[in-house]
Amino acid sequence: MSASTADHTKFEELEGPFETGQEVTEACLSCHTEAAAQLMQTPHWTWEYEDPVKGEPLGKKTMLNAFCIGHQSNEAFCAACHAGYGWEDDSFDFTAERNVDCLVCHSAEDYVKPFGLAGHPAYERTEYPPDSGNFYEPTDLVAAARSVGVSSREACGSCHFYGGGGDGVKHGDLDSSLVDPSEALDVHMASDGLNFSCAECHETRDHKVPGSRLSMTASDAHGPIMRGRKDDRNPASCQACHGEQPHDGDLLHSERLNHHAHTLACQTCHIPTFARGGVPTRMAWDWSQATQLDADGNPFKLKNDQGHLTYDSRKGRFEPQENVVPDYQWFDGSVDYIQPDATVTPGETFYVNRFRGTPGSADARIWPVKNFSGRQPYDTENGNLVVMQVGIPNDTSLWFNFDFAKAIQAGMAATDRPFSGQFDFVDTRMTWPITHMVAPAEDALACADCHRPSGRLDEVPGIWLPGRDSNPWVDRIGFGLAGLMLLGSAAHAGTRLITRKRRKGATHD
């Protein structure tokens, strides 16, 4: 991506002083007059999205997940990853342009929005949570404003690498190792290689960033998109750059690989494992184990031999993993997300989302995914998942009172949904697409990784795999034909040998 043509250190409007982030935004808007209005039309601002298939509301505002469950009643905490200032409760003004945070995406300084400050940076030395001994130093707003430019991996990653409560926790293919990755970790973002920023693939127009997991392109049987030309296709797909026939070289081999692209997503072969940059991802989270205290009545944490967190009194028990082999399934780009009023069946796994995709369908491909296992609370009387208040320092927040009932009551009140007071825990499952951490070509999967008994695609329906999809009669016929071919070849060879000897004998006579 080309550098900015403006040196913001020379702008008088950015000389400050600034007391708040909103004052910086007002200075930005004096030149970039339409920027805030554009951003305010996007999910980065609204945290809302409409399911293009069902028309149901999606987005962080309403959706539940299997990690921290929901942001309702936790807005001041979760707004650390909102592109705005001041979202503390339902009184936040989504129409005020000065509330847009320009710096979170465009500052090159060490610009931090701490959890709990409703999307603001620290304007003075701030202890959070109160009485914790953890202090945030004041942000130099002038330096942050004068450093602005195009977005970077660090800026995007300040939120997207840390979703779900920590580095690498949620996605598995997004974590802080991608700030400065090697080519072995990601061929596109390698600092000593192509050095792509996120926006190189997620090509943004009018502040609309394509490629959200809520609106994915699972198959794209077209040629590359000409950069700069307006097109309705998603520029963040592999085919947008590489086309539908990306393999070249030996004609027979490349043709076979290109034929595979009609069935497999590019990511299936080219991302052999995820969470392989030294940062583990969380594969399971059991909330039912939370609230345990030590002998002195204090919360505690446990780590495994690798130093990775496996237990936290505030959150429960975790299963961190590195170098994870993905699961695989058919995916056509559309996803069923549960709505908050969906019914829980006790004793059965509750699927927070399900990827759609008919085996063999022209619009579906076999994709690598992360299947995350959760165990989270639900209302046993009303029969649905609940939201908890967890991160706000008060008597109704789980991380401060260790009382599930109070935390659920506060969370449900914020969603205007009833809570019976009775709760238990249910196993949940949530699926995430794997599409980053693309390995070099020499590290892509080999034929035998899939085409062998118990190979990677062994559980995927709608495909034929040797060793798995055998039929005794077909095998007998096949082996019989092979045997006859061998006998025929042997007979032919024997005949030629006898004939040759006779010819030699005739010559000697």
Side-chain angles (χ1 to χ4, degrees):
M1 180 173 291
S2 61
S4 172
T5 57
D7 180 355
H8 287 78
T9 64
K10 299 177 179 179
F11 282 49
E12 293 182 2
E13 293 86 347
L14 301 181
E15 292 179 355
F18 302 115
E19 293 187 4
T20 66
Q22 284 102 326
E23 292 182 6
V24 176
T25 297
E26 289 172 340
C28 295
L29 294 179
S30 66
C31 291
H32 302 279
T33 58
E34 308 306 308
Q38 291 175 357
L39 180 75
M40 291 164 73
Q41 304 303 311
T42 73
H44 273 108
W45 175 257
T46 64
W47 281 13
E48 290 181 315
Y49 180 80
E50 184 178 286
D51 187 330
V53 176
K54 293 186 174 182
E56 296 176 331
L58 301 177
K60 295 180 184 296
K61 254 189 180 179
T62 55
M63 288 170 58
L64 303 183
N65 61 65
F67 293 85
C68 290
I69 302 177
H71 94 292
Q72 299 91 339
S73 76
N74 298 295
E75 289 88 347
F77 184 86
C78 299
C81 278
H82 181 244
Y85 299 115
W87 190 0
E88 192 167 11
D89 51 36
D90 57 10
S91 67
F92 178 66
D93 187 356
F94 282 91
T95 67
E97 292 189 354
R98 69 189 305 269
N99 284 342
V100 167
D101 183 355
C102 306
L103 299 177
V104 70
C105 294
H106 293 287
S107 176
E109 285 290 305
D110 187 17
Y111 178 77
V112 177
K113 288 158 65 92
F115 293 115
L117 301 189
H120 289 282
Y123 299 129
E124 57 187 19
R125 194 166 191 264
T126 304
E127 184 181 22
Y128 189 87
D131 303 320
S132 65
N134 180 39
F135 287 88
Y136 294 103
E137 299 302 322
T139 299
D140 187 337
L141 292 174
V142 172
R146 290 162 67 87
S147 73
V148 298
V150 295
S151 62
S152 63
R153 292 195 298 271
E154 295 93 329
C156 298
S158 66
C159 287
H160 291 284
F161 294 164
Y162 296 90
D167 192 3
V169 164
K170 183 184 288 183
H171 295 276
D173 62 342
L174 289 172
D175 60 50
S176 63
S177 67
L178 293 176
V179 170
D180 185 20
S182 65
E183 188 173 24
L185 178 58
D186 192 289
V187 294
H188 299 113
M189 291 187 272
S191 301
D192 57 352
L194 296 174
N195 199 26
F196 282 4
S197 68
C198 302
E200 197 76 39
C201 292
H202 298 271
E203 189 181 32
T204 303
R205 289 194 181 100
D206 300 333
H207 286 86
K208 295 177 182 177
V209 182
S212 165
R213 66 181 176 86
L214 299 178
S215 179
M216 293 189 61
T217 300
S219 62
D220 186 8
H222 299 88
I225 296 175
M226 182 181 291
R227 294 304 192 189
R229 175 182 292 175
K230 288 193 174 182
D231 197 304
D232 291 336
R233 290 168 58 201
N234 177 11
S237 72
C238 298
Q239 290 84 354
C241 280
H242 298 284
E244 77 278 24
Q245 293 186 325
H247 305 95
D248 54 20
D250 175 76
L251 181 61
L252 182 62
H253 184 60
S254 62
E255 181 63 26
R256 184 167 62 249
L257 292 179
N258 285 330
H259 183 72
H260 276 62
H262 299 307
T263 303
L264 304 175
C266 302
Q267 294 89 331
T268 295
C269 292
H270 291 279
I271 307 178
T273 59
F274 58 90
R276 66 175 192 273
V279 179
T281 191
R282 198 164 292 172
M283 297 301 294
W285 183 336
D286 185 354
W287 276 99
S288 72
Q289 300 297 312
T291 71
Q292 298 178 31
L293 304 176
D294 65 17
D296 296 322
N298 297 316
F300 63 95
K301 297 180 180 181
L302 298 174
K303 296 183 178 181
N304 60 16
D305 293 340
Q306 292 73 44
H308 304 320
L309 190 67
T310 58
Y311 181 79
D312 185 335
S313 294
R314 302 180 309 157
K315 299 181 179 181
R317 195 165 300 280
F318 315 121
E319 184 180 321
Q321 291 185 23
E322 295 183 71
N323 300 304
V324 183
V325 174
D327 292 328
Y328 300 92
Q329 67 180 86
W330 289 95
F331 182 39
D332 64 13
S334 56
V335 185
D336 281 319
Y337 289 97
I338 62 101
Q339 295 299 304
D341 57 354
T343 300
V344 171
T345 302
E348 295 184 6
T349 299
F350 184 88
Y351 286 81
V352 177
N353 70 344
R354 289 181 187 268
F355 279 25
R356 305 185 189 112
T358 302
S361 174
D363 63 352
R365 299 290 184 271
I366 296 172
W367 267 69
V369 299
K370 168 184 171 177
N371 280 318
F372 175 82
S373 298
R375 186 164 177 78
Q376 58 197 88
Y378 76 102
D379 187 321
T380 56
E381 296 295 323
N382 293 319
N384 46 40
L385 293 182
V386 297
V387 175
M388 299 184 292
Q389 186 176 76
V390 294
I392 309 303
N394 57 36
D395 186 56
T396 58
S397 199
L398 185 72
W399 295 349
F400 298 92
N401 65 11
F402 298 93
D403 186 327
F404 273 111
K406 281 187 176 181
I408 295 171
Q409 182 64 59
M412 296 300 281
T415 67
D416 293 324
R417 294 164 55 212
F419 173 50
S420 70
Q422 303 300 313
F423 69 94
D424 201 350
F425 295 86
V426 63
D427 291 330
T428 57
R429 178 70 64 87
M430 194 169 189
T431 301
W432 296 83
I434 298 299
T435 192
H436 304 92
M437 298 188 175
V438 177
E442 59 268 21
D443 293 333
L445 297 185
C447 301
D449 289 311
C450 300
H451 293 282
R452 61 178 172 81
S454 302
R456 291 200 178 207
L457 303 185
D458 194 51
E459 301 297 323
V460 179
I463 56 175
W464 185 89
L465 292 175
R468 183 194 72 177
D469 303 311
S470 60
N471 181 287
W473 284 106
V474 173
D475 288 346
R476 290 189 185 104
I477 294 171
F479 285 126
L481 290 172
L484 290 173
M485 291 175 65
L486 287 172
L487 286 172
S489 298
H492 178 70
T495 301
R496 294 194 62 178
L497 182 62
I498 292 170
T499 303
R500 181 178 298 175
K501 286 182 177 180
R502 286 178 177 174
R503 287 176 180 173
K504 285 184 178 179
T507 302
H508 291 304
D509 289 341

